[in-house]
Amino acid sequence: MPPENHIITTVLILLILLPLPSPAIATTTDTDTPKFREAPAFRNGKNCPISKWPKDPYDPSTIHIAMTLDYTSPYLRGSIAGILSVLQHSTCPENTFFHFLAVRRHFNHLNKTITSTFPYLNFNLYNFNPSLVRHLISSSIRRALDQPLNYARIYLADLLPSTVNRIIYLDSDLIVVDDVDKLWNIELNDRLLGAPEYCHANFTHYFTHKFWFHPIFPNTFENRTPCYFNTGVMVIDLQKWRNDDYTQKLEHWMRVQKRYRIYELGSLPPFLLVFAGNVKQVEHRWNQHGLGGDNLEGQCRDLHPGPVSLLHWSGKGKPWLRLDSKKPCPLDSLWAPYDLLRHQSLFSDS
């Protein structure tokens, strides 16, 4: 065989044995590439006033919403969906200002993510230092409930500008399907906090026997008729909070918990201890909660009877996890249209 034929044969063998290069796949691990698709631009209706905040720190036309953002957690996907849902159903979306609590080391990535996904969004990032609360956290029945950011809502009055006197706090596992202005404008009257209450729930289940059989602890509910409320959707008067230092009141019960183990459910029980029985009742439509099932198994659940303005996947089961696993619950399909994650594809980034 001529020498040139040996060379050709060798090259062909090498080509057969060498692995072919993999096709390019869009991933969500490249920090230079946004993880999420860009949302549409949502504009004010013709009758909306022009928001002047923060130039006018007391502008009454601005709706203030607080959320936590965790760049390292799957919950960021839920937060992005929640933001989109608020904007999509708002009559005056440009009058909504988002206050995001996050860990400072993630600010750069979060700022890129938010500005690329929502180029027209009015927002600010606030540093939440986990050391504020880490020493106060007791283990609970689910690890996600033990993360410091889950307690950041306790510090809203301290972290946000003093000119922000009212805030809507929203969890990261919900979508709003109504105009958030309706929630913003509820009358708190003399109450500090407004939320849907569920007085049919067995309130005693939220605390351990050590609490109920203690000679002093149950007296905290004296002259109150406490009802369960979910802290994932709250309207809060921050000025009243600051005036009476409710952050300290909540931290007090967290210290008691460290010593006596009086509850099992993360950041919820301190809010119940401080506020239950003094909550301004908000329509149940504003927190159709529990769609994530319980805290152990996360089974599928149906909606509560009545109208719906907000769907909340509180509990273990999250819609993005169930959709990705191809085992969704029926109601997870209502969350899916708000999912802006760039899914992996051989041919596109959407």
Side-chain angles (χ1 to χ4, degrees):
M1 182 182 294
E4 60 270 20
N5 288 348
H6 284 291
I7 295 173
I8 293 173
T9 302
T10 303
V11 170
L12 287 172
I13 292 172
L14 287 172
L15 287 174
I16 292 170
L17 293 176
L18 287 172
L20 290 172
S22 301
I25 298 178
T27 69
T28 59
T29 58
D30 185 355
T31 56
D32 294 326
T33 303
K35 291 183 177 182
F36 302 94
R37 304 188 307 277
E38 182 177 327
F42 296 97
R43 300 303 187 186
N44 281 356
K46 63 179 181 180
N47 295 322
C48 293
I50 298 175
S51 175
K52 299 177 182 178
W53 201 90
K55 291 183 179 179
D56 179 358
Y58 301 102
D59 175 30
S61 67
T62 302
I63 297 172
H64 296 277
I65 296 177
M67 300 177 71
T68 60
L69 296 180
D70 186 352
Y71 187 76
T72 64
S73 165
Y75 279 85
L76 181 61
R77 185 173 169 187
S79 300
I80 295 295
I83 296 165
L84 175 61
S85 72
V86 169
L87 298 174
Q88 184 167 318
H89 295 282
S90 293
T91 302
C92 304
E94 293 176 282
N95 290 6
T96 304
F97 197 98
F98 284 86
H99 303 265
F100 297 128
L101 276 55
V103 178
R104 186 181 297 280
R105 68 176 181 273
H106 297 149
F107 273 20
N108 186 44
H109 290 317
L110 287 171
N111 190 63
K112 288 180 180 178
T113 297
I114 296 299
T115 54
S116 63
T117 308
F118 303 103
Y120 306 98
L121 192 71
N122 301 312
F123 76 95
N124 198 12
L125 290 168
Y126 301 87
N127 177 44
F128 174 72
N129 187 344
S131 65
L132 270 176
V133 73
R134 186 175 281 124
H135 65 290
L136 296 173
I137 296 175
S138 301
S139 61
S140 63
I141 62 173
R142 188 158 57 88
R143 183 178 296 179
L145 301 177
D146 301 337
Q147 301 306 308
L149 265 179
N150 191 43
Y151 292 81
R153 69 197 82 188
I154 293 174
Y155 299 94
L156 286 169
D158 306 310
L159 298 176
L160 270 55
S162 60
T163 52
V164 178
N165 292 326
R166 173 181 279 221
I167 198 77
I168 296 174
Y169 175 81
L170 297 178
D171 265 351
S172 297
D173 53 359
L174 56 77
I175 55 171
V176 177
V177 292
D178 201 347
D179 192 343
V180 76
D181 179 74
K182 299 174 185 176
L183 180 60
W184 175 254
N185 283 308
I186 66 164
E187 291 291 340
L188 290 177
N189 298 326
D190 61 338
R191 302 297 171 88
L192 181 152
L193 187 151
E197 289 184 296
Y198 303 89
C199 296
H200 63 277
N202 189 337
F203 193 79
T204 61
H205 288 175
Y206 294 98
F207 301 95
T208 65
H209 289 294
K210 289 183 180 180
F211 175 85
W212 293 115
F213 288 99
H214 192 276
I216 298 174
F217 295 159
N219 295 338
T220 190
F221 295 117
E222 189 175 358
N223 300 320
R224 288 195 271 165
T225 304
C227 294
Y228 162 74
F229 67 94
N230 182 280
T231 56
V233 180
M234 299 183 288
V235 182
I236 303 172
D237 185 325
L238 292 180
Q239 192 56 54
K240 288 183 179 179
W241 185 299
R242 296 182 184 109
N243 290 343
D244 293 318
D245 195 6
Y246 276 86
T247 300
Q248 187 277 328
K249 299 177 192 295
L250 291 161
E251 288 183 336
H252 162 73
W253 283 111
M254 293 173 69
R255 292 187 180 94
V256 172
Q257 160 72 351
K258 293 286 283 188
R259 181 175 179 183
Y260 292 97
R261 193 69 185 181
I262 59 174
Y263 56 77
E264 304 286 350
L265 277 173
S267 63
L268 168 64
F271 275 86
L272 297 180
L273 287 160
V274 173
F275 296 110
N278 286 322
V279 172
K280 171 63 177 179
Q281 172 69 280
V282 174
E283 288 183 273
H284 288 175
R285 67 190 302 155
W286 284 106
N287 196 350
Q288 286 271 351
H289 70 290
L291 304 185
D294 62 18
N295 281 299
L296 297 176
E297 298 182 18
Q299 311 98 324
C300 297
R301 287 186 177 173
D302 294 327
L303 290 173
H304 305 290
V308 180
S309 293
L310 184 149
L311 298 160
H312 187 188
W313 279 262
S314 58
K316 183 179 181 180
K318 302 305 175 187
W320 54 87
L321 296 178
R322 296 195 293 218
L323 288 164
D324 287 353
S325 68
K326 309 300 183 186
K327 297 178 181 178
C329 292
L331 291 176
D332 295 343
S333 62
L334 300 177
W335 182 90
Y338 301 93
D339 184 16
L340 292 176
L341 182 72
R342 291 177 181 269
H343 294 279
Q344 292 186 351
S345 170
L346 290 173
F347 305 107
S348 69
D349 60 358
S350 60

